[in-house]
Amino acid sequence: MKPVAYVCARNVAEAAAAHGGRPEARYLGGGTNLVDLMRTGVERPDVLVDITRLPFDRIEEEADGSIRVGATVRNSDLATHPAVAERYPVLAQALLSGASGQLRNMATTAGNLLQRTRCGYFQDLSRPCNKRVPGSGCGALEGVNREHAILGHSPHCVATHPSDLAVALAALDALVELVGPGGARSVPVTEFHRLPQDRPEQDTVIRPGELVTGVLLPPVAAGTVSRYRKARDRASYTFALASVAAVVRLDHGVVRHIAVAFGGLAHRPWRARETEAALLGTKPGPEAVEQAVEAELAHAVPLRHNGYKVELARGLAQEVLGSLATAGRGT
């Protein structure tokens, strides 16, 4: 058994010092993903820095209408917060579709964003995985890849990011707030997670020693409607085969703002920029929505066992965007 040091940080400076930017140090929030990976031997940290006593457990409404969500806010608290449910229904829906009630009571905002892939090859120490052991190969590439990526993957990794929360945040153009040795900075959620390329072991753009302190949700303009929909193998407690988060604002039937993000299709939440560009400034009918979604999914490169994801994502996106176009016209 590998010994693990434990530090319960009393402030950010103490947390940063205990972590020290070392590769085998880990920050510990709810632990719903990290502890599981430690049990299986995938994660083998030498120090755990407990950040649950830091002042990041608050949801704060700002004067400009934005909302700041602390890194250790529990998923269940965020999903049921009145301001979040009213202004950002896509976020509440995404959170409530994830995991189980018990896990949502433990899981944190930052932990959800930072969870590792749920690829079976990553979690099985007997199988090759470039994310777990760089250079060992990708077992899923020619193996059982029914749940894997169809967009943005590389020969080095075909895993998908499992977070529902991250998909909704990508559609909301949220910012991840970090603090580290170089000071404080903010990163758009759409740029926070990396595509695998030839470095799949590097999940995010976090620098050594940086700590996620929170997420900033931008103000939502009047008349904005949003929705999250997820397709999965069973009704609860499982990850998306495909999901869609969309945020739309119409003015006299014309799309003035649109953001669409797919989940379950790529190594990170996938912003459907071509779909957005095709619909912005239009009065979207069913045919226009179908063509706009197809423009994005035309870039899909399915693997041996997951070609069904193209049709699944297409249907989800068309249904969600169609329903929001109807709802937006009624505001």
Side-chain angles (χ1 to χ4, degrees):
M1 180 178 292
K2 180 179 179 178
V4 181
Y6 172 82
V7 177
C8 188
R10 294 169 293 183
N11 52 59
V12 173
E14 188 170 299
H19 188 286
R22 292 178 296 106
E24 293 191 340
R26 295 290 184 272
Y27 290 117
L28 176 67
T32 56
N33 183 217
L34 175 60
V35 173
D36 278 349
L37 293 178
M38 290 175 63
R39 287 173 177 155
T40 60
V42 174
E43 287 276 7
R44 296 177 57 83
D46 58 16
V47 61
L48 293 175
V49 183
D50 189 332
I51 61 169
T52 57
R53 296 188 184 182
L54 302 186
F56 301 144
D57 60 348
R58 306 180 186 117
I59 301 172
E60 301 171 318
E61 299 185 52
E62 305 294 331
D64 65 352
S66 60
I67 293 181
R68 176 167 281 104
V69 181
T72 58
V73 169
R74 306 294 175 176
N75 285 183
S76 54
D77 292 333
L78 181 57
T80 57
H81 190 277
V84 172
E86 179 183 355
R87 299 183 214 168
Y88 310 94
V90 64
L91 181 56
Q93 292 163 8
L95 285 163
L96 291 174
S97 75
S100 64
Q102 296 94 328
L103 286 173
R104 291 195 296 268
N105 288 337
M106 285 297 296
T108 63
T109 300
N112 194 299
L113 288 174
L114 294 170
Q115 64 184 302
R116 306 299 302 277
T117 175
R118 303 306 173 114
C119 170
Y121 294 88
F122 171 75
Q123 295 175 308
D124 186 345
L125 297 183
S126 69
R127 303 296 185 94
C129 173
N130 287 318
K131 183 177 283 292
R132 178 169 33 81
V133 182
S136 63
C138 175
L141 188 62
E142 298 296 335
V144 180
N145 46 42
R146 174 178 176 270
E147 300 177 359
H148 290 69
I150 61 172
L151 289 166
H153 52 77
S154 79
H156 301 280
C157 184
V158 295
T160 59
H161 196 271
S163 174
D164 296 291
L165 168 67
V167 180
L169 292 178
L172 288 167
D173 290 310
L175 298 174
V176 181
E177 299 180 328
L178 306 107
V179 64
R185 68 182 181 122
S186 296
V187 178
V189 169
T190 52
E191 299 174 12
F192 182 68
H193 299 97
R194 296 181 64 257
L195 291 178
Q197 301 171 325
D198 60 353
R199 292 285 307 279
E201 73 278 9
Q202 187 177 341
D203 292 339
T204 70
V205 298
I206 287 182
R207 297 165 183 165
E210 279 191 323
L211 171 67
V212 176
T213 59
V215 171
L216 183 67
L217 303 175
V220 175
T224 299
V225 290
S226 64
R227 187 180 171 200
Y228 182 78
R229 189 170 177 202
K230 173 180 180 177
R232 47 192 164 177
D233 281 328
R234 57 180 184 269
S236 66
Y237 195 42
T238 191
F239 303 101
L241 298 173
S243 65
V244 177
V247 181
V248 176
R249 180 172 59 84
L250 275 67
D251 180 13
H252 295 92
V254 177
V255 177
R256 299 303 182 192
H257 172 78
I258 180 168
V260 182
F262 285 110
L265 304 187
H267 205 252
R268 68 181 183 193
W270 187 271
R271 272 293 289 266
R273 303 289 186 184
E274 294 202 24
T275 298
E276 296 168 4
L279 293 176
L280 188 64
T282 71
K283 291 187 175 183
E287 185 177 349
V289 168
E290 181 180 353
Q291 292 175 354
V293 171
E294 188 59 38
E296 191 69 44
L297 293 176
H299 299 288
V301 182
L303 305 171
R304 182 180 303 170
H305 304 296
N306 68 359
Y308 73 94
K309 283 195 173 190
V310 178
E311 185 61 31
L312 185 60
R314 180 187 293 119
L316 287 175
Q318 290 177 197
E319 195 277 327
V320 167
L321 289 171
S323 69
L324 291 181
T326 300
R329 283 191 288 268
T331 58

